[in-house]
Amino acid sequence: MDLRNAVDESLVWARGWLDYAATPWLLYQFVVVVLLFLAAKLLARRVEPILEDGARRIKGHPGLLRVVIALLRRTDWILFTVFLLAVLTFLRSVTWPSRTYFISIAFSLSVAWLFVSVLSRIIHNRLVARTLGWLAWIFAALVILGIDDEASVFLDSLALPLGNFRLSALTLVKAALLLVATVWLAVIVGNYVDERVRSSEELTPSIRVLIGKVAKIGLVLVAGTVALSSVGIDLTALTVFSGAVGVGLGFGLQKVVSNFISGVIILMDKSIKPGDTISLEDTFGWIRELRARFVSVVTRDGREYLIPNEDFITQRVINWSFSDNLVRLDVHFGVSYEADPHKVSQLAVEAAISVSRVEADRRPVCWLTGFGESSLDFVLRFWIHDPQQGLTNVRGKVLIALWDTFKEHGIGIPYPHRELILKQASGGSTARLNLRNRR
């Protein structure tokens, strides 16, 4: 009966519009609306560049600039709305309101379109913005035209019974709109909370990241629950279905869940945090960001590796700055047997101190470690406080300093020699090759 009543009311509304269309005033109003729209288009081409130059001078307020630019992109619609309001006010003062009905409808629709289009420009996701914009404007158009009740009855008649629950098209539309709106609002609030927490100096970096992620996920879950409950969807009716889906997703998303749980464990035990310098297998770099599924590690060559959180739990990780930024490095070298090992140790320490990144407070040490085949073997140990600046480069600078110092003091760095001895065999022409090592 509700559907039949809605159809009857729609027919009555259509007959009324046909009767109104037969009057000449509808044609007059239509011509006025078209002329005003063309005038707004032409004027906007001249006004918009001037206003945009002024808007570009806004500095330090990206949110305000985005809203202003969104308004400027709709300059023609703003002028069209202003023109309609001015003409509507004038005509209503000199003639009957019934003769301005079409202009009134055009004015209401243009205001709704302007409002929705500007708000949708603020949303970064273009697909979500366009979808919400069109749905909101269609709803506003139905309300303005006075057929929202008929449309609601029609959508509600398209229903699918699910046990004791009746799922209609109207419920789906309401749920989708509320879900998108509430989740979008929850994401905005979550990002704001995350930014405020990250700027706090009283919390450790790991706790900041953990609070930010918990706030975002919690707000999204609450928003989804509120949206579905607001349209009358009983969440307990979805328990069996969600359980079956959960089992299937559990098998298919084991790695995803594992990485997510590993990320929470990493944040709670504070084993790594943004800014730490780490080594994992062949990757050496510093942590830029901790995400729900992976850790962003930036290496010295500018590459950014997205390493799954699970690897930081199950594999051996070297955190060069876990409890202290001071790191000890070793450099192995050898000198000739003619050199004085006491003098070599002294010169090696002085050469290491001459490198700017080597800690002078923790004096380097140099020890004789063995008598090699062709050299006296030493190890030079020194400390640095900035491992994130690289390890290979500081080792290279220390080796260059050792080379310069040894060359200046006449200390040789040996390398193995091989001597070839060719002997003529007696009674034949066969030659024998004898290799002998020399130092």
Side-chain angles (χ1 to χ4, degrees):
M1 292 298 295
D2 293 336
L3 179 59
R4 182 176 298 176
N5 293 334
V7 172
D8 294 338
E9 292 178 1
S10 299
L11 292 175
V12 172
W13 176 82
R15 291 194 194 98
W17 261 101
L18 289 175
D19 294 338
Y20 182 72
T23 62
W25 276 99
L26 179 62
L27 179 60
Y28 301 155
Q29 295 175 76
F30 180 77
V31 172
V32 169
V33 170
V34 172
L35 292 177
L36 292 179
F37 184 76
L38 294 177
K41 282 285 188 181
L42 294 175
L43 185 59
R45 292 181 180 180
R46 295 180 176 272
V47 174
E48 185 175 342
I50 300 175
L51 296 177
E52 187 171 350
D53 291 339
R56 295 296 181 184
R57 299 175 185 175
I58 300 177
K59 304 295 183 182
H61 301 281
L64 176 62
L65 180 60
R66 187 176 182 85
V67 175
V68 172
I69 294 299
L71 288 172
L72 290 180
R73 292 292 181 268
R74 299 292 183 269
T75 303
D76 51 352
W77 282 96
I78 295 175
L79 293 175
F80 178 56
T81 304
V82 173
F83 291 165
L84 285 175
L85 178 61
V87 171
L88 184 61
T89 304
F90 173 74
L91 290 178
R92 283 186 174 178
S93 64
V94 298
T95 187
W96 300 101
S98 60
R99 295 178 176 179
T100 60
Y101 183 69
F102 184 78
I103 297 179
S104 176
I105 293 294
F107 170 73
S108 300
L109 291 176
S110 63
V111 170
W113 173 252
L114 180 63
F115 181 76
V116 169
S117 61
V118 171
L119 284 184
S120 63
R121 293 280 296 183
I122 301 175
I123 303 176
H124 294 276
N125 191 310
R126 301 312 307 155
L127 178 60
V128 175
R130 291 179 179 178
T131 304
L132 284 179
W134 277 105
L135 291 177
W137 187 78
I138 291 173
F139 175 76
L142 293 175
V143 173
I144 293 171
L145 295 176
I147 57 174
D148 53 316
D149 293 335
E150 291 79 2
S152 299
V153 173
F154 175 73
L155 292 176
D156 189 60
S157 65
L158 305 175
L160 177 66
L162 298 175
N164 297 328
F165 180 72
R166 181 174 177 272
L167 182 62
S168 65
L170 181 62
T171 303
L172 288 177
V173 172
K174 289 182 178 179
L177 289 175
L178 283 176
L179 189 62
V180 172
T182 53
V183 170
W184 177 64
L185 183 61
V187 171
I188 292 178
V189 176
N191 290 334
Y192 174 77
V193 173
D194 188 26
E195 291 178 0
R196 297 290 296 178
V197 171
R198 286 178 182 272
S199 61
S200 176
E201 299 293 339
E202 300 176 357
L203 302 175
T204 62
S206 299
I207 296 298
R208 296 176 201 165
V209 176
L210 179 61
I211 294 176
K213 293 186 182 303
V214 170
K216 288 182 179 180
I217 296 174
L219 288 172
V220 170
L221 293 177
V222 171
T225 303
V226 170
L228 295 178
S229 300
S230 300
V231 296
I233 297 179
D234 187 7
L235 298 180
T236 59
L238 304 176
T239 303
V240 177
F241 176 74
S242 61
V245 173
V247 172
L249 291 177
F251 287 105
L253 302 177
Q254 288 183 2
K255 286 295 183 181
V256 176
V257 176
S258 176
N259 286 320
F260 178 77
I261 300 300
S262 298
V264 175
I265 295 175
I266 289 173
L267 293 174
M268 294 183 66
D269 64 13
K270 305 176 185 179
S271 56
I272 59 175
K273 59 184 181 296
D276 281 354
T277 304
I278 61 99
S279 295
L280 179 62
E281 294 183 345
D282 297 332
T283 304
F284 172 83
W286 61 91
I287 297 175
R288 188 182 70 87
E289 188 178 6
L290 301 177
R291 301 292 292 270
R293 190 181 61 84
F294 58 84
V295 176
S296 172
V297 178
V298 181
T299 60
R300 290 284 299 166
D301 55 3
R303 298 180 182 178
E304 187 168 2
Y305 290 85
L306 306 181
I307 303 176
N309 292 328
E310 185 181 9
D311 292 351
F312 288 89
I313 300 296
T314 60
Q315 298 187 21
R316 186 174 181 177
V317 181
I318 300 176
N319 190 339
W320 296 88
S321 53
F322 178 66
S323 58
D324 196 345
N325 283 329
L326 285 174
V327 176
R328 194 191 74 180
L329 300 179
D330 294 347
V331 171
H332 298 269
F333 65 94
V335 297
S336 64
Y337 274 89
E338 287 77 11
D340 182 2
H342 303 284
K343 186 177 180 181
V344 169
S345 298
Q346 179 184 356
L347 293 176
V349 171
E350 294 176 356
I353 294 177
S354 66
V355 178
S356 59
R357 288 183 56 195
V358 175
E359 281 290 317
D361 295 336
R362 292 198 174 191
R363 186 175 178 82
V365 294
C366 184
W367 303 107
L368 177 65
T369 58
F371 300 100
E373 291 185 2
S374 57
S375 65
L376 297 174
D377 298 329
F378 290 84
V379 59
L380 174 62
R381 292 173 174 170
F382 56 91
W383 295 82
I384 61 173
H385 66 279
D386 52 355
Q388 66 274 9
Q389 299 299 324
L391 305 180
T392 303
N393 52 3
V394 70
R395 285 195 181 102
K397 291 181 179 180
V398 170
L399 288 172
I400 291 294
L402 288 174
W403 173 273
D404 295 338
T405 301
F406 292 160
K407 187 175 182 180
E408 179 181 355
H409 291 82
I411 297 176
I413 299 178
Y415 54 91
H417 295 268
R418 291 187 180 273
E419 186 177 84
L420 301 179
I421 302 176
L422 296 176
K423 291 185 178 180
Q424 184 71 27
S426 58
S429 60
T430 302
R432 184 176 59 186
L433 180 62
N434 183 20
L435 297 179
R436 185 174 63 182
N437 291 332
R438 292 184 56 192
R439 290 176 183 172

